Protein backbone atom coordinates (compact mmCIF):
# COMPACT_ATOMS: atom_id res chain seq x y z
CA UNK A 1 0.00 0.00 0.00
CA UNK A 2 0.96 3.65 -0.38
CA UNK A 3 1.10 5.16 3.11
CA UNK A 4 1.22 8.82 4.12
CA UNK A 5 2.63 8.94 7.66
CA UNK A 6 2.43 12.07 9.83
CA UNK A 7 4.58 12.61 12.93
CA UNK A 8 4.20 15.55 15.30
CA UNK A 9 7.56 17.18 16.05
CA UNK A 10 6.89 18.40 19.61
CA UNK A 11 8.78 16.01 21.92
CA UNK A 12 10.84 13.06 20.68
CA UNK A 13 8.54 10.35 22.03
CA UNK A 14 6.34 10.50 18.93
CA UNK A 15 9.39 10.12 16.68
CA UNK A 16 10.87 7.12 18.52
CA UNK A 17 7.47 5.37 18.55
CA UNK A 18 6.93 6.16 14.87
CA UNK A 19 10.33 4.68 14.04
CA UNK A 20 9.12 1.34 15.42
CA UNK A 21 5.92 1.52 13.37
CA UNK A 22 7.72 2.64 10.21
CA UNK A 23 10.16 -0.25 10.43
CA UNK A 24 7.23 -2.66 10.62
CA UNK A 25 5.26 -1.30 7.67
CA UNK A 26 8.42 -1.06 5.55
CA UNK A 27 9.21 -4.70 6.38
CA UNK A 28 5.76 -5.55 5.00
CA UNK A 29 6.68 -3.92 1.69
CA UNK A 30 4.52 -0.80 1.90
CA UNK A 31 5.63 2.46 0.27
CA UNK A 32 5.80 5.30 2.79
CA UNK A 33 5.99 9.08 2.60
CA UNK A 34 6.57 10.76 5.96
CA UNK A 35 5.59 14.34 6.82
CA UNK A 36 7.20 15.47 10.06
CA UNK A 37 8.12 18.69 11.84
CA UNK A 38 10.76 19.91 14.31
CA UNK A 39 13.61 17.82 15.69
CA UNK A 40 11.71 14.67 14.79
CA UNK A 41 12.44 15.36 11.11
CA UNK A 42 16.21 15.24 11.65
CA UNK A 43 15.95 12.11 13.78
CA UNK A 44 13.77 10.15 11.33
CA UNK A 45 15.68 11.32 8.26
CA UNK A 46 18.93 9.99 9.72
CA UNK A 47 17.26 6.87 11.12
CA UNK A 48 15.85 5.80 7.72
CA UNK A 49 18.54 7.18 5.41
CA UNK A 50 19.46 3.71 4.12
CA UNK A 51 16.01 2.20 3.82
CA UNK A 52 14.15 1.99 0.53
CA UNK A 53 10.53 2.87 -0.22
CA UNK A 54 10.49 5.75 2.26
CA UNK A 55 10.86 9.52 1.79
CA UNK A 56 10.74 12.43 4.23
CA UNK A 57 9.10 15.82 3.92
CA UNK A 58 9.62 18.50 6.56
CA UNK A 59 6.52 20.48 7.49
CA UNK A 60 5.85 23.27 9.97
CA UNK A 61 4.31 22.32 13.31
CA UNK A 62 3.25 24.10 16.47
CA UNK A 63 5.90 24.67 19.14
CA UNK A 64 5.39 24.88 22.90
CA UNK A 65 7.40 27.24 25.12
CA UNK A 66 8.22 26.67 28.78
CA UNK A 67 9.13 28.67 31.86
CA UNK A 68 11.00 26.24 34.11
CA UNK A 69 8.64 23.30 34.58
CA UNK A 70 5.53 25.21 33.53
CA UNK A 71 3.93 25.53 30.11
CA UNK A 72 4.13 29.15 28.94
CA UNK A 73 0.75 29.46 27.23
CA UNK A 74 1.09 33.14 26.28
CA UNK A 75 4.64 32.64 25.06
CA UNK A 76 3.59 29.59 23.03
CA UNK A 77 0.71 31.49 21.46
CA UNK A 78 2.92 34.48 20.58
CA UNK A 79 5.68 32.28 19.15
CA UNK A 80 3.30 30.28 16.94
CA UNK A 81 1.42 33.35 15.72
CA UNK A 82 4.68 35.05 14.81
CA UNK A 83 5.85 32.02 12.83
CA UNK A 84 2.45 31.15 11.33
CA UNK A 85 2.85 32.91 7.93
CA UNK A 86 6.13 31.20 7.19
CA UNK A 87 4.78 27.87 8.43
CA UNK A 88 1.62 28.03 6.35
CA UNK A 89 3.66 28.79 3.24
CA UNK A 90 5.93 25.83 3.89
CA UNK A 91 3.03 23.44 4.45
CA UNK A 92 1.30 24.58 1.25
CA UNK A 93 4.50 23.88 -0.66
CA UNK A 94 4.66 20.33 0.74
CA UNK A 95 0.97 19.82 -0.04
CA UNK A 96 1.49 20.82 -3.67
CA UNK A 97 4.60 18.68 -3.94
CA UNK A 98 2.79 15.55 -2.77
CA UNK A 99 -0.20 16.29 -4.99
CA UNK A 100 1.98 16.93 -8.06
CA UNK A 101 4.05 13.79 -7.54
CA UNK A 102 0.94 11.78 -8.34
CA UNK A 103 1.59 9.30 -5.53
CA UNK A 104 -1.91 9.06 -4.11
CA UNK A 105 -1.89 7.62 -0.57
CA UNK A 106 -4.23 4.71 0.09
CA UNK A 107 -4.09 5.18 3.85
CA UNK A 108 -2.87 7.83 6.29
CA UNK A 109 -1.27 7.00 9.64
CA UNK A 110 -1.01 9.89 12.08
CA UNK A 111 0.95 10.04 15.32
CA UNK A 112 -0.90 13.07 16.72
CA UNK A 113 -0.06 15.02 13.55
CA UNK A 114 -2.75 17.22 11.96
CA UNK A 115 -1.32 17.93 8.49
CA UNK A 116 -1.50 14.31 7.33
CA UNK A 117 -4.83 13.72 9.09
CA UNK A 118 -6.44 16.72 7.37
CA UNK A 119 -4.94 15.62 4.04
CA UNK A 120 -6.69 12.28 4.51
CA UNK A 121 -10.03 13.90 5.36
CA UNK A 122 -9.84 16.27 2.42
CA UNK A 123 -9.03 13.51 -0.09
CA UNK A 124 -11.26 10.80 1.37
CA UNK A 125 -8.31 8.65 2.47
CA UNK A 126 -8.86 6.57 5.66
CA UNK A 127 -6.82 7.82 8.63
CA UNK A 128 -5.45 5.48 11.31
CA UNK A 129 -4.46 7.28 14.49
CA UNK A 130 -1.54 5.81 16.45
CA UNK A 131 -0.58 7.68 19.63
CA UNK A 132 -1.09 7.79 23.41
CA UNK A 133 -2.73 11.20 23.83
CA UNK A 134 -6.12 10.27 22.35
CA UNK A 135 -6.79 8.45 25.63
CA UNK A 136 -7.79 11.84 27.08
CA UNK A 137 -10.76 12.16 24.74
CA UNK A 138 -11.74 8.60 23.93
CA UNK A 139 -11.76 7.00 27.40
CA UNK A 140 -13.57 7.52 30.70
CA UNK A 141 -11.48 8.68 33.65
CA UNK A 142 -12.33 8.54 37.33
CA UNK A 143 -13.15 11.86 38.97
CA UNK A 144 -10.27 11.41 41.42
CA UNK A 145 -7.81 11.38 38.51
CA UNK A 146 -9.21 14.67 37.20
CA UNK A 147 -9.65 16.33 40.60
CA UNK A 148 -8.94 20.04 40.48
CA UNK A 149 -8.41 19.91 36.70
CA UNK A 150 -11.93 20.44 35.38
CA UNK A 151 -11.10 23.33 33.05
CA UNK A 152 -7.72 21.90 32.02
CA UNK A 153 -9.34 18.53 31.31
CA UNK A 154 -12.09 20.08 29.20
CA UNK A 155 -9.63 22.15 27.17
CA UNK A 156 -7.29 19.19 26.75
CA UNK A 157 -10.12 16.94 25.59
CA UNK A 158 -11.24 19.54 23.02
CA UNK A 159 -7.69 20.07 21.74
CA UNK A 160 -7.07 16.35 21.39
CA UNK A 161 -10.40 15.84 19.65
CA UNK A 162 -9.53 18.49 17.07
CA UNK A 163 -5.99 17.23 16.47
CA UNK A 164 -6.91 14.05 14.55
CA UNK A 165 -10.67 14.16 13.92
CA UNK A 166 -12.87 11.45 12.35
CA UNK A 167 -10.18 8.80 12.00
CA UNK A 168 -10.97 5.39 10.53
CA UNK A 169 -9.72 3.91 13.82
CA UNK A 170 -7.76 5.02 16.89
CA UNK A 171 -5.02 2.76 18.27
CA UNK A 172 -4.04 4.14 21.68
CA UNK A 173 -0.79 3.02 23.31
CA UNK A 174 -1.05 2.91 27.10
CA UNK A 175 0.13 1.21 30.30
CA UNK A 176 -3.18 2.04 32.04
CA UNK A 177 -6.51 0.85 30.70
CA UNK A 178 -9.56 2.99 31.55
CA UNK A 179 -12.94 2.15 29.98
CA UNK A 180 -13.27 3.18 26.34
CA UNK A 181 -16.13 5.65 25.82
CA UNK A 182 -16.03 6.12 22.02
CA UNK A 183 -16.39 3.84 19.03
CA UNK A 184 -13.58 3.03 16.61
CA UNK A 185 -11.06 2.87 19.45
CA UNK A 186 -8.72 0.11 20.65
CA UNK A 187 -6.21 0.27 23.51
CA UNK A 188 -2.82 -1.43 23.05
CA UNK A 189 0.24 -1.86 25.27
CA UNK A 190 3.06 0.71 24.90
CA UNK A 191 4.94 0.56 21.59
CA UNK A 192 8.55 0.06 22.64
CA UNK A 193 11.93 0.11 20.96
CA UNK A 194 13.72 -3.21 20.48
CA UNK A 195 16.45 -2.00 22.85
CA UNK A 196 13.88 -1.64 25.62
CA UNK A 197 12.15 -4.93 24.84
CA UNK A 198 15.41 -6.87 25.08
CA UNK A 199 16.79 -4.99 28.12
CA UNK A 200 17.01 -7.00 31.35
CA UNK A 201 16.16 -5.51 34.72
CA UNK A 202 19.09 -5.55 37.15
CA UNK A 203 18.29 -3.08 39.95
CA UNK A 204 21.25 -1.32 41.53
CA UNK A 205 21.69 1.54 44.01
CA UNK A 206 21.76 4.60 41.75
CA UNK A 207 18.78 6.81 40.83
CA UNK A 208 18.42 8.23 37.32
CA UNK A 209 17.34 11.86 36.99
CA UNK A 210 15.96 13.21 33.71
CA UNK A 211 14.38 16.48 34.71
CA UNK A 212 14.83 19.84 33.00
CA UNK A 213 12.35 21.92 34.93
CA UNK A 214 14.84 23.21 37.49
CA UNK A 215 18.10 25.13 37.58
CA UNK A 216 21.20 22.94 37.94
CA UNK A 217 22.28 24.55 41.23
CA UNK A 218 18.85 24.05 42.78
CA UNK A 219 18.71 20.44 41.61
CA UNK A 220 22.22 19.77 42.92
CA UNK A 221 21.30 21.12 46.37
CA UNK A 222 18.28 18.81 46.59
CA UNK A 223 20.18 15.70 45.50
CA UNK A 224 23.08 16.30 47.91
CA UNK A 225 20.66 15.95 50.83
CA UNK A 226 19.85 12.34 49.89
CA UNK A 227 22.57 9.72 50.61
CA UNK A 228 22.02 7.97 47.28
CA UNK A 229 24.12 8.02 44.07
CA UNK A 230 22.37 10.04 41.35
CA UNK A 231 23.01 10.06 37.62
CA UNK A 232 21.60 13.23 36.09
CA UNK A 233 21.05 13.21 32.32
CA UNK A 234 20.75 16.22 30.04
CA UNK A 235 23.73 18.21 31.31
CA UNK A 236 25.77 20.42 28.98
CA UNK A 237 29.02 19.13 30.47
CA UNK A 238 29.83 15.91 32.28
CA UNK A 239 31.05 16.22 35.86
CA UNK A 240 30.84 14.46 39.21
CA UNK A 241 30.27 16.16 42.54
CA UNK A 242 29.96 13.88 45.56
CA UNK A 243 26.97 11.60 45.07
CA UNK A 244 25.79 13.43 41.91
CA UNK A 245 27.10 12.60 38.43
CA UNK A 246 26.03 14.88 35.57
CA UNK A 247 25.94 13.25 32.14
CA UNK A 248 25.17 14.28 28.58
CA UNK A 249 22.26 12.42 27.07
CA UNK A 250 23.26 9.28 25.17
CA UNK A 251 20.63 6.72 24.28
CA UNK A 252 22.53 3.50 24.99
CA UNK A 253 24.13 4.74 28.22
CA UNK A 254 20.83 6.16 29.44
CA UNK A 255 18.94 2.92 28.83
CA UNK A 256 21.64 0.92 30.57
CA UNK A 257 21.46 3.23 33.59
CA UNK A 258 17.65 3.06 33.52
CA UNK A 259 17.41 -0.73 33.53
CA UNK A 260 19.88 -0.97 36.43
CA UNK A 261 18.48 1.98 38.38
CA UNK A 262 16.95 1.82 41.82
CA UNK A 263 14.42 4.38 40.56
CA UNK A 264 13.98 7.21 38.06
CA UNK A 265 12.88 10.82 38.50
CA UNK A 266 11.53 12.56 35.41
CA UNK A 267 8.65 14.57 33.96
CA UNK A 268 5.32 13.18 32.89
CA UNK A 269 6.11 12.26 29.29
CA UNK A 270 4.57 8.98 28.18
CA UNK A 271 7.59 7.46 26.42
CA UNK A 272 10.01 7.38 29.35
CA UNK A 273 7.22 6.54 31.78
CA UNK A 274 6.09 3.56 29.70
CA UNK A 275 9.70 2.35 29.40
CA UNK A 276 10.16 2.60 33.17
CA UNK A 277 6.91 0.70 33.81
CA UNK A 278 7.86 -1.99 31.28
CA UNK A 279 11.31 -2.42 32.88
CA UNK A 280 9.86 -2.40 36.40
CA UNK A 281 11.63 0.80 37.52
CA UNK A 282 9.75 2.87 40.16
CA UNK A 283 9.25 6.46 39.04
CA UNK A 284 8.78 9.85 40.65
CA UNK A 285 6.96 11.92 38.04
CA UNK A 286 6.98 15.73 38.13
CA UNK A 287 4.80 16.64 35.13
CA UNK A 288 5.01 19.97 33.35
CA UNK A 289 2.44 22.28 34.90
CA UNK A 290 -0.28 23.09 32.41
CA UNK A 291 0.21 19.98 30.27
CA UNK A 292 -2.81 17.88 31.22
CA UNK A 293 -1.62 14.80 29.34
CA UNK A 294 1.52 14.62 31.48
CA UNK A 295 -0.47 15.24 34.66
CA UNK A 296 -2.90 12.45 33.76
CA UNK A 297 -0.01 10.05 33.09
CA UNK A 298 1.50 10.88 36.48
CA UNK A 299 -1.79 10.42 38.31
CA UNK A 300 -2.34 6.99 36.74
CA UNK A 301 1.24 6.02 37.62
CA UNK A 302 0.53 6.82 41.26
CA UNK A 303 -2.98 5.32 41.15
CA UNK A 304 -1.56 1.98 40.00
CA UNK A 305 1.16 2.03 42.67
CA UNK A 306 4.04 2.20 40.20
CA UNK A 307 5.46 5.40 41.69
CA UNK A 308 4.52 8.88 42.84
CA UNK A 309 3.30 12.07 41.24
CA UNK A 310 4.51 15.43 42.54
CA UNK A 311 3.90 19.05 41.59
CA UNK A 312 7.44 20.07 42.47
CA UNK A 313 10.73 18.29 43.08
CA UNK A 314 11.78 18.86 46.70
CA UNK A 315 14.12 16.99 49.04
CA UNK A 316 11.21 15.93 51.28
CA UNK A 317 9.24 14.59 48.30
CA UNK A 318 12.27 12.74 46.97
CA UNK A 319 13.06 11.27 50.39
CA UNK A 320 9.53 9.93 50.94
CA UNK A 321 9.52 8.47 47.43
CA UNK A 322 12.78 6.60 48.01
CA UNK A 323 11.44 5.18 51.29
CA UNK A 324 8.65 3.45 49.35
CA UNK A 325 10.76 1.89 46.59
CA UNK A 326 10.05 -1.69 47.73
CA UNK A 327 6.31 -0.98 47.69
CA UNK A 328 6.43 0.42 44.16
CA UNK A 329 8.65 -2.43 42.95
CA UNK A 330 6.16 -4.98 44.27
CA UNK A 331 3.31 -3.33 42.34
CA UNK A 332 5.42 -3.19 39.17
CA UNK A 333 6.25 -6.90 39.46
CA UNK A 334 2.58 -7.62 38.68
CA UNK A 335 2.70 -5.59 35.44
CA UNK A 336 2.61 -7.86 32.41
CA UNK A 337 5.50 -6.91 30.16
CA UNK A 338 4.67 -7.40 26.47
CA UNK A 339 6.29 -6.88 23.08
CA UNK A 340 4.80 -5.07 20.08
CA UNK A 341 3.19 -8.11 18.46
CA UNK A 342 -0.37 -7.29 19.56
CA UNK A 343 -0.12 -3.75 18.23
CA UNK A 344 1.39 -4.96 14.95
CA UNK A 345 -1.42 -7.49 14.49
CA UNK A 346 -4.04 -4.76 15.06
CA UNK A 347 -2.34 -2.37 12.63
CA UNK A 348 -2.02 -5.10 9.99
CA UNK A 349 -5.72 -5.92 10.31
CA UNK A 350 -6.67 -2.27 9.90
CA UNK A 351 -4.49 -1.85 6.81
CA UNK A 352 -6.01 -5.02 5.36
CA UNK A 353 -9.53 -3.75 6.01
CA UNK A 354 -8.71 -0.43 4.36
CA UNK A 355 -7.25 -2.22 1.33
CA UNK A 356 -10.43 -4.31 1.04
CA UNK A 357 -12.71 -1.31 1.44
CA UNK A 358 -14.33 -2.67 4.62
CA UNK A 359 -16.14 -0.53 7.19
CA UNK A 360 -14.15 0.63 10.18
CA UNK A 361 -14.49 -1.64 13.23
CA UNK A 362 -15.79 -0.39 16.59
CA UNK A 363 -13.19 -2.45 18.45
CA UNK A 364 -10.41 -4.87 17.56
CA UNK A 365 -10.71 -7.99 19.69
Amino acid sequence: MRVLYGVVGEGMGHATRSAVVLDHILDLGHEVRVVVSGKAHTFLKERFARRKKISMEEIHGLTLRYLGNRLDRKGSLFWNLRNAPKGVKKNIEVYRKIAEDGIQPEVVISDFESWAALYGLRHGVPVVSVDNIQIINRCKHQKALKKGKGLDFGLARLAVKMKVPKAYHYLIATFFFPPVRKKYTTLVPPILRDEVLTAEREPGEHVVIYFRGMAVDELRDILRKCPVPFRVYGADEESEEGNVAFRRFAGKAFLDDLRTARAVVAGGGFSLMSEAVSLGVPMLSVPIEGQFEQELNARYLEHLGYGRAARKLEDSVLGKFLERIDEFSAALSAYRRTDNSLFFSYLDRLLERVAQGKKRPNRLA
Side-chain angles (χ1 to χ4, degrees):
M1 296 183 71
R2 296 182 300 276
V3 181
L4 176 63
Y5 200 116
V7 185
V8 71
E10 183 67 28
M12 289 303 294
H14 300 276
T16 54
R17 173 171 55 222
S18 294
V20 175
V21 184
L22 286 168
D23 271 327
H24 175 72
I25 59 180
L26 287 171
D27 289 342
L28 294 176
H30 299 302
E31 183 178 351
V32 187
R33 171 162 281 186
V34 181
V35 290
V36 54
S37 60
K39 295 179 180 179
H41 174 260
T42 303
F43 169 78
L44 291 175
K45 187 175 182 179
E46 293 176 355
R47 173 73 165 68
F48 290 93
R50 298 183 180 180
R51 294 217 61 170
K52 298 179 180 179
K53 289 191 172 184
I54 184 170
S55 60
M56 300 280 170
E57 300 290 347
E58 184 177 10
I59 58 174
H60 175 78
L62 298 179
T63 300
L64 299 179
R65 314 290 287 182
Y66 301 94
L67 292 172
N69 200 46
R70 177 172 60 86
L71 176 63
D72 182 4
R73 291 177 176 173
K74 290 184 179 180
S76 298
L77 179 61
F78 175 77
W79 177 268
N80 287 296
L81 287 176
R82 189 176 68 177
N83 289 276
K86 181 174 62 176
V88 170
K89 180 181 178 181
K90 183 177 185 64
N91 288 353
I92 291 175
E93 291 174 353
V94 175
Y95 183 91
R96 288 175 176 169
K97 182 178 181 180
I98 291 179
E100 291 171 359
D101 281 353
I103 302 176
Q104 298 178 346
E106 297 169 272
V107 66
V108 172
I109 300 176
S110 173
D111 191 322
F112 209 59
E113 198 284 307
S114 296
W115 191 99
L118 293 177
Y119 183 98
L121 286 177
R122 179 176 174 81
H123 292 270
V125 180
V127 177
V128 176
S129 172
V130 177
D131 65 39
N132 61 289
I133 305 179
Q134 290 293 338
I135 203 165
I136 294 174
N137 177 46
R138 308 194 71 81
C139 290
K140 298 177 182 178
H141 304 284
Q142 298 178 28
K143 289 184 179 179
L145 296 168
K146 301 182 293 182
K147 186 177 180 181
K149 295 294 178 182
L151 178 61
D152 285 351
F153 177 71
L155 291 174
R157 174 173 279 179
L158 178 62
V160 170
K161 182 179 180 179
M162 294 172 61
K163 190 73 174 177
V164 185
K166 300 180 180 180
Y168 180 83
H169 201 84
Y170 294 85
L171 292 175
I172 302 176
T174 179
F175 65 85
F176 51 93
F177 293 83
V180 174
R181 76 182 189 96
K182 287 181 172 286
K183 296 188 292 184
Y184 318 123
T185 305
T186 302
L187 305 184
V188 298
I191 303 165
L192 301 172
R193 301 172 290 148
D194 286 342
E195 299 94 321
V196 177
L197 294 174
T198 57
E200 295 184 8
R201 175 76 170 128
E202 295 177 317
E205 293 300 318
H206 68 274
V207 174
V208 169
I209 308 288
Y210 188 63
F211 183 63
R212 297 183 176 181
M214 181 179 292
V216 173
D217 291 341
E218 186 179 358
L219 178 61
R220 184 189 296 111
D221 291 342
I222 291 174
L223 299 182
R224 281 178 174 175
K225 296 177 182 178
C226 296
V228 174
F230 293 98
R231 299 176 186 177
V232 182
Y233 276 87
D236 295 329
E237 296 182 2
E238 297 199 354
S239 62
E240 195 160 336
E241 303 174 26
N243 63 325
V244 184
F246 290 92
R247 298 184 174 180
R248 293 189 182 93
F249 186 82
K252 188 177 184 303
F254 178 81
L255 180 57
D256 193 51
D257 275 345
L258 180 63
R259 72 173 185 85
T260 59
R262 182 182 180 186
V264 59
V265 179
F270 178 77
S271 294
L272 177 53
M273 192 178 292
S274 61
E275 290 179 358
V277 169
S278 178
L279 291 169
V281 183
M283 182 173 183
L284 173 59
S285 174
V286 187
I288 293 174
E289 183 182 348
Q291 275 206 355
F292 182 80
E293 180 255 333
Q294 289 203 5
E295 294 184 12
L296 189 67
N297 293 339
R299 290 187 177 198
Y300 269 105
L301 178 86
E302 183 169 276
H303 177 70
L304 293 169
Y306 299 159
R308 277 203 64 191
R311 291 186 177 182
K312 185 178 180 180
L313 182 59
E314 299 174 327
D315 54 310
S316 58
V317 172
L318 181 58
K320 291 178 181 178
F321 165 71
L322 294 175
E323 290 174 0
R324 298 175 60 189
I325 291 298
D326 291 341
E327 175 189 337
F328 301 138
S329 296
L332 284 163
S333 66
Y335 178 81
R336 183 182 176 186
R337 189 179 182 188
T338 61
D339 58 18
N340 298 321
S341 58
L342 180 62
F343 163 74
F344 288 152
S345 69
Y346 283 156
L347 180 61
D348 294 348
R349 286 165 61 185
L350 288 173
L351 295 181
E352 184 178 355
R353 291 180 71 93
V354 169
Q356 296 174 353
K358 292 184 177 181
K359 294 182 178 180
R360 52 182 179 164
N362 285 341
R363 301 279 187 277
L364 292 173

Coordinates of all heavy atoms in Angstrom, one line a residue, residues 33 35 56-60 84-101 115 119:
R33 N 5.5 7.7 2.6 CA 6.0 9.1 2.6 C 5.7 9.7 4.0 O 4.5 9.7 4.4 CB 5.3 9.9 1.5 CG 5.6 11.4 1.6 CD 5.3 12.1 0.3 NE 6.4 11.8 -0.7 CZ 6.5 12.4 -1.9 NH1 5.5 13.3 -2.3 NH2 7.5 12.2 -2.7
V35 N 5.6 12.9 6.6 CA 5.6 14.3 6.8 C 5.8 14.6 8.3 O 5.1 14.0 9.1 CB 4.3 15.0 6.3 CG1 4.2 15.0 4.8 CG2 3.1 14.3 6.9
M56 N 11.1 11.5 3.1 CA 10.7 12.4 4.2 C 10.4 13.8 3.7 O 11.2 14.3 2.8 CB 11.9 12.5 5.2 CG 12.3 11.2 5.9 SD 11.2 10.8 7.2 CE 11.8 9.1 7.6
E57 N 9.4 14.4 4.2 CA 9.1 15.8 3.9 C 9.0 16.6 5.2 O 8.2 16.2 6.1 CB 7.8 15.9 3.1 CG 7.8 15.2 1.8 CD 8.7 15.9 0.8 OE1 9.1 17.1 1.0 OE2 8.9 15.3 -0.3
E58 N 9.7 17.7 5.3 CA 9.6 18.5 6.6 C 8.5 19.5 6.4 O 8.4 20.2 5.4 CB 10.9 19.2 6.8 CG 10.9 20.0 8.1 CD 12.2 20.7 8.4 OE1 13.1 20.7 7.5 OE2 12.4 21.2 9.6
I59 N 7.6 19.5 7.5 CA 6.5 20.5 7.5 C 6.7 21.4 8.7 O 7.5 21.1 9.6 CB 5.1 19.8 7.5 CG1 5.0 18.8 8.7 CG2 4.9 19.0 6.2 CD1 3.7 18.2 8.9
H60 N 5.8 22.4 8.8 CA 5.8 23.3 10.0 C 4.8 22.8 11.0 O 3.7 22.4 10.6 CB 5.5 24.7 9.5 CG 5.4 25.6 10.7 ND1 6.4 26.2 11.3 CD2 4.3 26.1 11.3 CE1 6.0 27.0 12.3 NE2 4.7 27.0 12.3
A84 N 3.5 31.7 12.1 CA 2.5 31.1 11.3 C 2.6 31.4 9.8 O 2.4 30.5 9.0 CB 1.1 31.6 11.9
P85 N 2.8 32.7 9.4 CA 2.8 32.9 7.9 C 3.9 32.1 7.2 O 3.6 31.5 6.2 CB 3.2 34.4 7.8 CG 2.7 35.0 9.1 CD 2.9 33.9 10.1
K86 N 5.1 32.0 7.8 CA 6.1 31.2 7.2 C 5.8 29.7 7.2 O 6.0 29.0 6.2 CB 7.4 31.4 7.9 CG 8.6 30.7 7.4 CD 9.9 31.1 8.1 CE 9.9 30.7 9.6 NZ 11.2 31.0 10.3
G87 N 5.2 29.3 8.3 CA 4.8 27.9 8.4 C 3.7 27.5 7.5 O 3.8 26.4 6.9
V88 N 2.7 28.3 7.3 CA 1.6 28.0 6.4 C 2.2 27.9 4.9 O 1.8 27.0 4.2 CB 0.5 29.1 6.4 CG1 -0.5 29.0 5.3 CG2 -0.2 29.0 7.8
K89 N 3.1 28.8 4.6 CA 3.7 28.8 3.2 C 4.4 27.5 3.0 O 4.3 26.9 2.0 CB 4.6 30.0 3.1 CG 5.3 30.0 1.7 CD 6.3 31.2 1.6 CE 7.0 31.2 0.3 NZ 7.9 32.4 0.2
K90 N 5.2 27.1 4.0 CA 5.9 25.8 3.9 C 5.0 24.6 3.7 O 5.2 23.7 2.9 CB 6.8 25.6 5.1 CG 7.7 24.4 5.1 CD 8.6 24.3 6.3 CE 9.6 23.2 6.2 NZ 10.5 23.3 5.1
N91 N 3.9 24.6 4.5 CA 3.0 23.4 4.4 C 2.3 23.4 3.1 O 2.0 22.3 2.6 CB 2.1 23.5 5.6 CG 2.7 23.1 6.9 OD1 3.9 22.7 7.0 ND2 2.0 23.3 8.0
I92 N 1.9 24.5 2.6 CA 1.3 24.6 1.2 C 2.2 24.0 0.2 O 1.8 23.3 -0.7 CB 0.8 26.0 0.9 CG1 -0.3 26.4 1.8 CG2 0.4 26.1 -0.6 CD1 -0.7 27.9 1.6
E93 N 3.5 24.4 0.3 CA 4.5 23.9 -0.7 C 4.6 22.4 -0.6 O 4.7 21.7 -1.6 CB 5.9 24.5 -0.4 CG 5.9 26.0 -0.7 CD 7.2 26.6 -0.3 OE1 8.0 25.9 0.4 OE2 7.5 27.8 -0.6
V94 N 4.6 21.8 0.6 CA 4.7 20.3 0.7 C 3.4 19.7 0.2 O 3.4 18.7 -0.5 CB 4.9 19.9 2.2 CG1 4.8 18.4 2.4 CG2 6.2 20.5 2.7
Y95 N 2.2 20.3 0.5 CA 1.0 19.8 0.0 C 1.0 19.7 -1.6 O 0.6 18.7 -2.2 CB -0.2 20.7 0.4 CG -1.5 20.3 0.1 CD1 -2.3 19.4 0.9 CD2 -2.1 20.7 -1.1 CE1 -3.5 19.0 0.5 CE2 -3.4 20.2 -1.5 CZ -4.1 19.4 -0.7 OH -5.4 19.0 -1.0
R96 N 1.4 20.8 -2.2 CA 1.5 20.8 -3.7 C 2.5 19.8 -4.2 O 2.2 19.1 -5.2 CB 1.9 22.2 -4.1 CG 0.8 23.3 -4.0 CD 1.3 24.6 -4.4 NE 0.2 25.6 -4.3 CZ 0.4 27.0 -4.4 NH1 1.7 27.4 -4.5 NH2 -0.6 27.8 -4.3
K97 N 3.6 19.6 -3.5 CA 4.6 18.7 -3.9 C 4.0 17.3 -3.9 O 4.2 16.5 -4.9 CB 5.8 18.8 -3.0 CG 7.0 17.8 -3.4 CD 8.2 18.0 -2.5 CE 9.3 17.1 -2.9 NZ 10.5 17.3 -2.1
I98 N 3.4 16.9 -2.9 CA 2.8 15.6 -2.8 C 1.7 15.4 -3.8 O 1.6 14.3 -4.4 CB 2.3 15.3 -1.3 CG1 3.4 15.2 -0.4 CG2 1.4 14.0 -1.3 CD1 3.0 15.0 1.1
A99 N 0.9 16.4 -4.0 CA -0.2 16.3 -5.0 C 0.4 16.2 -6.4 O -0.1 15.4 -7.2 CB -1.1 17.5 -4.9
E100 N 1.4 16.9 -6.7 CA 2.0 16.9 -8.1 C 2.8 15.7 -8.4 O 3.0 15.3 -9.5 CB 2.8 18.2 -8.3 CG 2.0 19.5 -8.3 CD 2.9 20.7 -8.3 OE1 4.2 20.5 -8.2 OE2 2.4 21.8 -8.3
D101 N 3.3 15.0 -7.3 CA 4.1 13.8 -7.5 C 3.2 12.7 -8.1 O 3.7 11.7 -8.7 CB 4.7 13.3 -6.2 CG 6.0 14.1 -5.9 OD1 6.4 14.9 -6.8 OD2 6.5 14.0 -4.9
W115 N -1.5 17.7 9.9 CA -1.3 17.9 8.5 C -1.7 16.7 7.7 O -2.6 16.8 6.8 CB 0.1 18.3 8.2 CG 0.4 18.8 6.8 CD1 0.4 20.1 6.4 CD2 0.5 18.1 5.6 NE1 0.7 20.2 5.1 CE2 0.7 19.0 4.5 CE3 0.6 16.7 5.3 CZ2 0.9 18.5 3.2 CZ3 0.8 16.3 4.0 CH2 1.0 17.2 3.0
Y119 N -5.1 16.0 5.4 CA -4.9 15.6 4.0 C -5.8 14.4 3.8 O -6.5 14.3 2.7 CB -3.5 15.3 3.8 CG -3.2 14.9 2.3 CD1 -2.7 15.8 1.5 CD2 -3.4 13.6 1.9 CE1 -2.4 15.5 0.1 CE2 -3.2 13.2 0.6 CZ -2.6 14.2 -0.3 OH -2.4 13.9 -1.6

